[in-house]
Amino acid sequence: MTKLLLIDDDRELAELLAEFLSLEDFDVDMVHDGEAGLAAIRGNQYDMVLLDVMMPKLNGFEVLKQLRVDNNIPVLMLTAKGDEIDRVLGLEMGADDYLPKPFSERELLARIRAILRRIEPTTTKKTELLTHLDIEINSRTQEAWCQTILLDLTSTELMLLEALISSPGTILTKADLSEQVLGKKLTPFDRSIDMHLSNLRKKLPERKDEKMRIRTLRGRGYMWLDT
């Protein structure tokens, strides 16, 4: 059974969400402040964290910052409706996705399942190992290597890298990447893909020939360079 940790100081909402997710065959633990959340993560094995932003002791950003030092567990941020700063900051710090409050239970379920699908290892030999130039991705182990260096990528960054190197020299629109990587349609002013790509760029070593790896085509999308 998939195990989730819900970190939210709104106890009534947390109990409602936990009850709903339990009916959908998830095993849900709840804590109600950031310090308790970090302690729970360090003492248990979870498949995903649902992390509220506004909390006592440690807010969601502080929790995420500490978590990302040594843990790439998928994180879905729960943010205030319409607060773009919170959403962008969460993505920059390594969150996999965000969901503005208030949200429907079905939308939450769809986001959770989309993230979990991204991290499911494949057993298909044909797609198990993907290589291009100095990048190698093992989709079974969910690891990516560059120049013999193991890259410290979140599950979303790994999926984004896989999408890019699978189509070298091809323009991939943000709408395409949003559906392929995040499992959702691109909405106006949604900067999720931009933020994940910015994080990915920072984590990729420079090419030995000093050429760029990813080209931004303004108004069109992104391209992984094949030479």
Side-chain angles (χ1 to χ4, degrees):
M1 183 178 290
T2 302
K3 192 167 185 178
L4 308 177
L5 176 63
L6 173 58
I7 310 175
D8 196 320
D9 65 333
D10 186 334
R11 293 173 181 266
E12 183 177 354
L13 174 63
E15 289 174 2
L16 289 172
L17 293 179
E19 181 178 359
F20 167 73
L21 292 170
S22 295
L23 293 174
E24 297 293 333
D25 294 326
F26 292 100
D27 182 9
V28 184
D29 287 348
M30 292 182 294
V31 293
H32 304 295
D33 66 71
E35 288 184 354
L38 284 174
I41 293 168
R42 288 165 179 159
N44 299 274
Q45 291 289 329
Y46 293 103
D47 297 292
M48 186 187 303
V49 175
L50 311 179
L51 178 60
D52 187 33
V53 171
M54 300 303 296
M55 290 186 299
K57 297 185 180 179
L58 289 177
N59 65 36
F61 298 130
E62 293 168 325
V63 172
L64 183 60
K65 182 179 180 180
Q66 293 190 36
L67 183 62
R68 283 295 180 247
V69 171
D70 57 5
N71 195 318
N72 283 332
I73 184 173
V75 174
L76 175 62
M77 298 288 290
L78 308 179
T79 68
K81 183 175 177 63
D83 196 338
E84 182 181 3
I85 294 176
D86 281 358
R87 296 198 296 271
V88 170
L89 183 57
L91 293 169
E92 286 179 337
M93 296 176 67
D96 290 82
D97 202 357
Y98 64 85
L99 188 57
K101 291 182 177 182
F103 49 77
S104 70
E105 293 173 336
R106 288 296 167 184
E107 185 176 9
L108 173 65
L109 182 61
R111 295 291 180 87
I112 291 172
R113 286 178 171 166
I115 293 173
L116 290 174
R117 281 195 299 271
R118 298 203 297 269
I119 64 174
E120 286 178 354
T122 179
T123 57
T124 305
K125 291 184 179 180
K126 182 179 179 181
T127 58
E128 183 173 304
L129 197 63
L130 180 63
T131 61
H132 187 263
L133 300 178
D134 57 355
I135 303 284
E136 180 178 291
I137 296 176
N138 188 318
S139 55
R140 181 180 61 81
T141 61
Q142 291 289 286
E143 291 179 332
W145 298 77
C146 180
Q147 300 168 10
T148 72
I149 300 171
L150 177 62
L151 302 177
D152 184 22
L153 304 180
T154 66
S155 61
T156 302
E157 291 160 1
L158 182 68
M159 283 292 293
L160 181 56
L161 178 60
E162 185 172 5
L164 289 166
I165 72 171
S166 294
S167 302
T170 301
I171 299 173
L172 298 177
T173 68
K174 288 198 289 185
D176 290 338
L177 290 171
S178 183
E179 293 202 34
Q180 184 176 345
V181 176
L182 301 180
K184 63 180 183 180
K185 290 186 178 297
L186 185 69
T187 57
F189 312 112
D190 187 342
R191 298 180 59 195
S192 300
I193 288 296
D194 299 320
M195 293 299 101
H196 289 305
L197 194 132
S198 175
N199 291 342
L200 177 60
R201 276 179 162 141
K202 294 173 185 175
K203 294 180 179 181
L204 289 173
E206 289 188 6
R207 284 175 46 162
K208 292 183 178 179
D209 59 11
E210 300 184 349
K211 293 182 179 180
M212 69 172 63
R213 295 184 183 276
I214 304 168
R215 175 173 294 163
T216 301
L217 295 100
R218 188 175 300 276
R220 300 175 68 189
Y222 299 100
M223 178 191 294
W224 183 267
L225 301 182
D226 55 359
T227 58

PDB file of all heavy atoms in Angstrom, residues 133 201 205-207 209-216 223-227:
ATOM      1  N   LEU A 133      24.690  11.415 -25.605  1.00  0.00           N
ATOM      2  CA  LEU A 133      25.949  12.103 -25.314  1.00  0.00           C
ATOM      3  C   LEU A 133      26.491  11.621 -23.977  1.00  0.00           C
ATOM      4  O   LEU A 133      26.734  10.437 -23.808  1.00  0.00           O
ATOM      5  CB  LEU A 133      25.748  13.623 -25.353  1.00  0.00           C
ATOM      6  CG  LEU A 133      25.261  14.187 -26.698  1.00  0.00           C
ATOM      7  CD1 LEU A 133      25.047  15.689 -26.613  1.00  0.00           C
ATOM      8  CD2 LEU A 133      26.232  13.839 -27.817  1.00  0.00           C
ATOM      9  N   ARG A 201      18.839  22.590 -15.082  1.00  0.00           N
ATOM     10  CA  ARG A 201      20.018  23.212 -15.684  1.00  0.00           C
ATOM     11  C   ARG A 201      21.130  23.406 -14.652  1.00  0.00           C
ATOM     12  O   ARG A 201      22.306  23.202 -14.946  1.00  0.00           O
ATOM     13  CB  ARG A 201      19.641  24.559 -16.298  1.00  0.00           C
ATOM     14  CG  ARG A 201      19.068  24.470 -17.703  1.00  0.00           C
ATOM     15  CD  ARG A 201      18.716  25.836 -18.207  1.00  0.00           C
ATOM     16  NE  ARG A 201      18.575  25.873 -19.647  1.00  0.00           N
ATOM     17  CZ  ARG A 201      17.662  26.569 -20.282  1.00  0.00           C
ATOM     18  NH1 ARG A 201      16.795  27.308 -19.601  1.00  0.00           N
ATOM     19  NH2 ARG A 201      17.594  26.564 -21.600  1.00  0.00           N
ATOM     20  N   PRO A 205      26.160  19.065 -15.125  1.00  0.00           N
ATOM     21  CA  PRO A 205      27.526  19.564 -15.361  1.00  0.00           C
ATOM     22  C   PRO A 205      27.644  20.168 -16.755  1.00  0.00           C
ATOM     23  O   PRO A 205      26.898  19.801 -17.672  1.00  0.00           O
ATOM     24  CB  PRO A 205      28.393  18.306 -15.241  1.00  0.00           C
ATOM     25  CG  PRO A 205      27.550  17.319 -14.493  1.00  0.00           C
ATOM     26  CD  PRO A 205      26.130  17.620 -14.859  1.00  0.00           C
ATOM     27  N   GLU A 206      28.579  21.085 -16.917  1.00  0.00           N
ATOM     28  CA  GLU A 206      28.819  21.664 -18.240  1.00  0.00           C
ATOM     29  C   GLU A 206      29.341  20.594 -19.196  1.00  0.00           C
ATOM     30  O   GLU A 206      30.062  19.678 -18.789  1.00  0.00           O
ATOM     31  CB  GLU A 206      29.840  22.801 -18.148  1.00  0.00           C
ATOM     32  CG  GLU A 206      29.318  24.045 -17.460  1.00  0.00           C
ATOM     33  CD  GLU A 206      30.305  25.194 -17.561  1.00  0.00           C
ATOM     34  OE1 GLU A 206      31.330  25.040 -18.265  1.00  0.00           O
ATOM     35  OE2 GLU A 206      30.055  26.233 -16.936  1.00  0.00           O
ATOM     36  N   ARG A 207      28.967  20.713 -20.455  1.00  0.00           N
ATOM     37  CA  ARG A 207      29.516  19.815 -21.464  1.00  0.00           C
ATOM     38  C   ARG A 207      31.009  20.080 -21.631  1.00  0.00           C
ATOM     39  O   ARG A 207      31.468  21.219 -21.473  1.00  0.00           O
ATOM     40  CB  ARG A 207      28.793  20.014 -22.797  1.00  0.00           C
ATOM     41  CG  ARG A 207      27.419  19.397 -22.826  1.00  0.00           C
ATOM     42  CD  ARG A 207      26.640  19.692 -24.100  1.00  0.00           C
ATOM     43  NE  ARG A 207      27.398  19.503 -25.325  1.00  0.00           N
ATOM     44  CZ  ARG A 207      26.842  19.370 -26.534  1.00  0.00           C
ATOM     45  NH1 ARG A 207      25.517  19.405 -26.654  1.00  0.00           N
ATOM     46  NH2 ARG A 207      27.583  19.228 -27.604  1.00  0.00           N
ATOM     47  N   ASP A 209      32.651  20.159 -24.279  1.00  0.00           N
ATOM     48  CA  ASP A 209      32.910  21.042 -25.403  1.00  0.00           C
ATOM     49  C   ASP A 209      32.357  22.453 -25.159  1.00  0.00           C
ATOM     50  O   ASP A 209      32.396  23.298 -26.047  1.00  0.00           O
ATOM     51  CB  ASP A 209      32.323  20.465 -26.690  1.00  0.00           C
ATOM     52  CG  ASP A 209      30.816  20.237 -26.605  1.00  0.00           C
ATOM     53  OD1 ASP A 209      30.184  20.708 -25.631  1.00  0.00           O
ATOM     54  OD2 ASP A 209      30.272  19.580 -27.509  1.00  0.00           O
ATOM     55  N   GLU A 210      31.832  22.668 -23.932  1.00  0.00           N
ATOM     56  CA  GLU A 210      31.328  23.973 -23.489  1.00  0.00           C
ATOM     57  C   GLU A 210      30.085  24.444 -24.239  1.00  0.00           C
ATOM     58  O   GLU A 210      29.681  25.605 -24.115  1.00  0.00           O
ATOM     59  CB  GLU A 210      32.427  25.049 -23.563  1.00  0.00           C
ATOM     60  CG  GLU A 210      33.633  24.735 -22.684  1.00  0.00           C
ATOM     61  CD  GLU A 210      34.663  25.837 -22.698  1.00  0.00           C
ATOM     62  OE1 GLU A 210      34.545  26.761 -23.542  1.00  0.00           O
ATOM     63  OE2 GLU A 210      35.590  25.779 -21.874  1.00  0.00           O
ATOM     64  N   LYS A 211      29.468  23.579 -25.016  1.00  0.00           N
ATOM     65  CA  LYS A 211      28.219  23.937 -25.684  1.00  0.00           C
ATOM     66  C   LYS A 211      27.051  23.818 -24.705  1.00  0.00           C
ATOM     67  O   LYS A 211      27.124  23.086 -23.725  1.00  0.00           O
ATOM     68  CB  LYS A 211      27.973  23.016 -26.888  1.00  0.00           C
ATOM     69  CG  LYS A 211      28.966  23.197 -28.019  1.00  0.00           C
ATOM     70  CD  LYS A 211      28.619  22.283 -29.185  1.00  0.00           C
ATOM     71  CE  LYS A 211      29.595  22.462 -30.332  1.00  0.00           C
ATOM     72  NZ  LYS A 211      29.265  21.564 -31.481  1.00  0.00           N
ATOM     73  N   MET A 212      25.971  24.555 -24.993  1.00  0.00           N
ATOM     74  CA  MET A 212      24.801  24.479 -24.124  1.00  0.00           C
ATOM     75  C   MET A 212      24.089  23.148 -24.342  1.00  0.00           C
ATOM     76  O   MET A 212      24.228  22.509 -25.388  1.00  0.00           O
ATOM     77  CB  MET A 212      23.836  25.643 -24.391  1.00  0.00           C
ATOM     78  CG  MET A 212      23.127  25.597 -25.729  1.00  0.00           C
ATOM     79  SD  MET A 212      21.830  26.850 -25.904  1.00  0.00           S
ATOM     80  CE  MET A 212      22.808  28.347 -25.802  1.00  0.00           C
ATOM     81  N   ARG A 213      23.364  22.715 -23.326  1.00  0.00           N
ATOM     82  CA  ARG A 213      22.621  21.463 -23.413  1.00  0.00           C
ATOM     83  C   ARG A 213      21.167  21.700 -23.838  1.00  0.00           C
ATOM     84  O   ARG A 213      20.610  20.950 -24.635  1.00  0.00           O
ATOM     85  CB  ARG A 213      22.627  20.743 -22.061  1.00  0.00           C
ATOM     86  CG  ARG A 213      23.998  20.281 -21.601  1.00  0.00           C
ATOM     87  CD  ARG A 213      23.884  19.499 -20.298  1.00  0.00           C
ATOM     88  NE  ARG A 213      25.197  19.105 -19.800  1.00  0.00           N
ATOM     89  CZ  ARG A 213      25.855  18.012 -20.195  1.00  0.00           C
ATOM     90  NH1 ARG A 213      25.315  17.210 -21.096  1.00  0.00           N
ATOM     91  NH2 ARG A 213      27.034  17.721 -19.694  1.00  0.00           N
ATOM     92  N   ILE A 214      20.561  22.734 -23.276  1.00  0.00           N
ATOM     93  CA  ILE A 214      19.138  22.986 -23.495  1.00  0.00           C
ATOM     94  C   ILE A 214      18.969  24.388 -24.060  1.00  0.00           C
ATOM     95  O   ILE A 214      19.471  25.359 -23.483  1.00  0.00           O
ATOM     96  CB  ILE A 214      18.340  22.867 -22.182  1.00  0.00           C
ATOM     97  CG1 ILE A 214      18.575  21.493 -21.537  1.00  0.00           C
ATOM     98  CG2 ILE A 214      16.859  23.088 -22.439  1.00  0.00           C
ATOM     99  CD1 ILE A 214      18.065  21.391 -20.112  1.00  0.00           C
ATOM    100  N   ARG A 215      18.278  24.480 -25.158  1.00  0.00           N
ATOM    101  CA  ARG A 215      18.021  25.788 -25.776  1.00  0.00           C
ATOM    102  C   ARG A 215      16.581  26.202 -25.496  1.00  0.00           C
ATOM    103  O   ARG A 215      15.652  25.409 -25.643  1.00  0.00           O
ATOM    104  CB  ARG A 215      18.258  25.739 -27.274  1.00  0.00           C
ATOM    105  CG  ARG A 215      17.891  27.045 -28.009  1.00  0.00           C
ATOM    106  CD  ARG A 215      18.297  26.986 -29.463  1.00  0.00           C
ATOM    107  NE  ARG A 215      19.762  26.933 -29.573  1.00  0.00           N
ATOM    108  CZ  ARG A 215      20.402  26.551 -30.684  1.00  0.00           C
ATOM    109  NH1 ARG A 215      19.701  26.187 -31.749  1.00  0.00           N
ATOM    110  NH2 ARG A 215      21.719  26.534 -30.711  1.00  0.00           N
ATOM    111  N   THR A 216      16.420  27.456 -25.072  1.00  0.00           N
ATOM    112  CA  THR A 216      15.090  28.019 -24.875  1.00  0.00           C
ATOM    113  C   THR A 216      14.676  28.761 -26.134  1.00  0.00           C
ATOM    114  O   THR A 216      15.412  29.619 -26.623  1.00  0.00           O
ATOM    115  CB  THR A 216      15.083  29.003 -23.686  1.00  0.00           C
ATOM    116  OG1 THR A 216      15.488  28.311 -22.499  1.00  0.00           O
ATOM    117  CG2 THR A 216      13.701  29.588 -23.479  1.00  0.00           C
ATOM    118  N   MET A 223      14.476  22.855 -26.341  1.00  0.00           N
ATOM    119  CA  MET A 223      15.075  21.852 -27.200  1.00  0.00           C
ATOM    120  C   MET A 223      16.361  21.323 -26.567  1.00  0.00           C
ATOM    121  O   MET A 223      17.203  22.106 -26.120  1.00  0.00           O
ATOM    122  CB  MET A 223      15.401  22.429 -28.579  1.00  0.00           C
ATOM    123  CG  MET A 223      16.090  21.440 -29.525  1.00  0.00           C
ATOM    124  SD  MET A 223      16.744  22.264 -31.019  1.00  0.00           S
ATOM    125  CE  MET A 223      15.200  22.778 -31.790  1.00  0.00           C
ATOM    126  N   TRP A 224      16.486  20.006 -26.509  1.00  0.00           N
ATOM    127  CA  TRP A 224      17.735  19.366 -26.097  1.00  0.00           C
ATOM    128  C   TRP A 224      18.636  19.287 -27.318  1.00  0.00           C
ATOM    129  O   TRP A 224      18.262  18.704 -28.339  1.00  0.00           O
ATOM    130  CB  TRP A 224      17.463  17.983 -25.533  1.00  0.00           C
ATOM    131  CG  TRP A 224      18.707  17.304 -25.028  1.00  0.00           C
ATOM    132  CD1 TRP A 224      19.506  16.457 -25.719  1.00  0.00           C
ATOM    133  CD2 TRP A 224      19.278  17.410 -23.725  1.00  0.00           C
ATOM    134  NE1 TRP A 224      20.552  16.023 -24.935  1.00  0.00           N
ATOM    135  CE2 TRP A 224      20.432  16.611 -23.704  1.00  0.00           C
ATOM    136  CE3 TRP A 224      18.924  18.107 -22.576  1.00  0.00           C
ATOM    137  CZ2 TRP A 224      21.235  16.476 -22.584  1.00  0.00           C
ATOM    138  CZ3 TRP A 224      19.735  17.982 -21.452  1.00  0.00           C
ATOM    139  CH2 TRP A 224      20.866  17.176 -21.454  1.00  0.00           C
ATOM    140  N   LEU A 225      19.802  19.888 -27.226  1.00  0.00           N
ATOM    141  CA  LEU A 225      20.687  19.936 -28.383  1.00  0.00           C
ATOM    142  C   LEU A 225      21.361  18.588 -28.601  1.00  0.00           C
ATOM    143  O   LEU A 225      21.881  17.982 -27.649  1.00  0.00           O
ATOM    144  CB  LEU A 225      21.728  21.041 -28.199  1.00  0.00           C
ATOM    145  CG  LEU A 225      21.143  22.440 -28.009  1.00  0.00           C
ATOM    146  CD1 LEU A 225      22.237  23.470 -27.883  1.00  0.00           C
ATOM    147  CD2 LEU A 225      20.216  22.808 -29.164  1.00  0.00           C
ATOM    148  N   ASP A 226      21.370  18.132 -29.851  1.00  0.00           N
ATOM    149  CA  ASP A 226      21.875  16.791 -30.138  1.00  0.00           C
ATOM    150  C   ASP A 226      23.321  16.789 -30.626  1.00  0.00           C
ATOM    151  O   ASP A 226      23.869  15.733 -30.915  1.00  0.00           O
ATOM    152  CB  ASP A 226      20.984  16.076 -31.160  1.00  0.00           C
ATOM    153  CG  ASP A 226      20.796  16.879 -32.441  1.00  0.00           C
ATOM    154  OD1 ASP A 226      21.339  17.994 -32.517  1.00  0.00           O
ATOM    155  OD2 ASP A 226      20.099  16.389 -33.342  1.00  0.00           O
ATOM    156  N   THR A 227      23.944  17.952 -30.755  1.00  0.00           N
ATOM    157  CA  THR A 227      25.354  17.992 -31.137  1.00  0.00           C
ATOM    158  C   THR A 227      26.085  18.977 -30.251  1.00  0.00           C
ATOM    159  O   THR A 227      25.472  19.831 -29.607  1.00  0.00           O
ATOM    160  CB  THR A 227      25.527  18.412 -32.602  1.00  0.00           C
ATOM    161  OG1 THR A 227      24.917  19.689 -32.802  1.00  0.00           O
ATOM    162  CG2 THR A 227      24.903  17.397 -33.520  1.00  0.00           C
TER     163      THR A 227
END
